[in-house]
Amino acid sequence: MAAGKAGSKRARSTKVEAVTPLSAGEFKVIRALHPGFVTMMRQLDADLQREHHMSHAEFVALMFLSEAPDRTLGLSELARRCQQSLSAISRTVGRMEAQGLVRREQSSQDARAYNAVLTDAGLARLEQAVPTHVVSLRRHLFDHLDGVDLDAVGGAFARIAAAASGDPDVVPGQPSQDTPIGRYIRT
């Protein structure tokens, strides 16, 4: 579609005069959001790599598999939950499969699709890594949020994710207390 025609992004944009300027507080959030998030994620990854030879992406995939019925998720659904592309989650699953942490199975509902299944070894590895991850989250995130309304922040980011993705369930709910991560959540 040509620029400027109805329906194009340019046609839907607003004029600069109609834009409400950012407050100093809003700008401070935007300026710090990306470096804060990227640095924190690198630290979470480094802690898991150092202690468990596991990437943060692998940890998150194992966590979602541990919460799934029969510890099984389709690769597409696992990719969605992990916020990865299908090719990226396939590489992540491949690395974990080589270590015996997961196995791939052809879907019984779609012969073209595959599921990732958490093995007992993968569950044990996740259980070992969860305390490290919780300590890392405290050190690199929550220790810096003293006095912040965490329910409000969590709700705001859930709304942002839902609006951006068009999926109201993009942020999974709280895991069961019988999952490795669920045992480390106070209710």
Side-chain angles (χ1 to χ4, degrees):
M1 184 180 292
K5 291 196 177 184
S8 75
K9 288 188 182 220
R10 184 168 284 167
R12 288 191 307 259
S13 68
T14 60
K15 294 184 180 190
V16 174
E17 300 87 44
V19 174
T20 303
L22 296 173
S23 70
E26 290 168 334
F27 183 74
K28 185 176 183 179
V29 168
I30 290 304
R31 184 55 63 110
L33 186 62
H34 184 73
F37 179 77
V38 170
T39 303
M40 178 191 66
M41 294 309 294
R42 284 186 187 138
Q43 292 300 317
L44 295 175
D45 194 69
D47 290 348
L48 286 167
Q49 287 285 359
R50 184 178 54 257
E51 299 295 325
H52 302 284
H53 307 287
M54 173 189 300
S55 71
H56 189 258
E58 292 166 344
F59 176 88
V60 171
L62 292 174
M63 178 188 69
F64 283 126
L65 287 169
S66 77
E67 297 171 8
D70 299 321
R71 300 187 315 206
T72 302
L73 285 172
L75 289 182
S76 294
E77 178 61 17
L78 184 59
R80 185 187 75 78
R81 290 186 189 190
C82 293
Q83 298 292 305
Q84 291 187 22
S85 67
L86 186 55
S87 62
I89 201 66
S90 291
R91 289 188 301 274
T92 300
V93 167
R95 287 191 306 272
M96 294 188 301
E97 191 174 29
Q99 299 173 58
L101 306 178
V102 299
R103 70 176 185 277
R104 287 183 216 235
E105 290 180 349
Q106 193 169 25
S107 171
S108 61
Q109 298 169 344
D110 181 352
R112 298 167 299 168
Y114 283 85
N115 295 328
V117 181
L118 181 64
T119 64
D120 290 341
L123 183 61
R125 187 83 176 279
L126 176 63
E127 288 172 340
Q128 292 168 352
V130 167
T132 298
H133 191 250
V134 170
V135 167
S136 188
L137 284 171
R138 290 215 174 280
R139 181 181 321 123
H140 303 297
L141 176 62
F142 295 114
D143 288 353
H144 305 283
L145 296 177
D146 191 38
V148 173
D149 182 345
L150 297 178
D151 285 335
V153 171
F157 278 108
R159 288 190 303 277
I160 291 166
S165 69
D167 179 0
D169 300 319
V170 69
V171 177
Q174 187 166 317
S176 165
Q177 290 288 328
D178 63 349
T179 62
I181 195 74
R183 289 191 276 279
Y184 285 84
I185 300 171
R186 287 183 295 207
T187 54

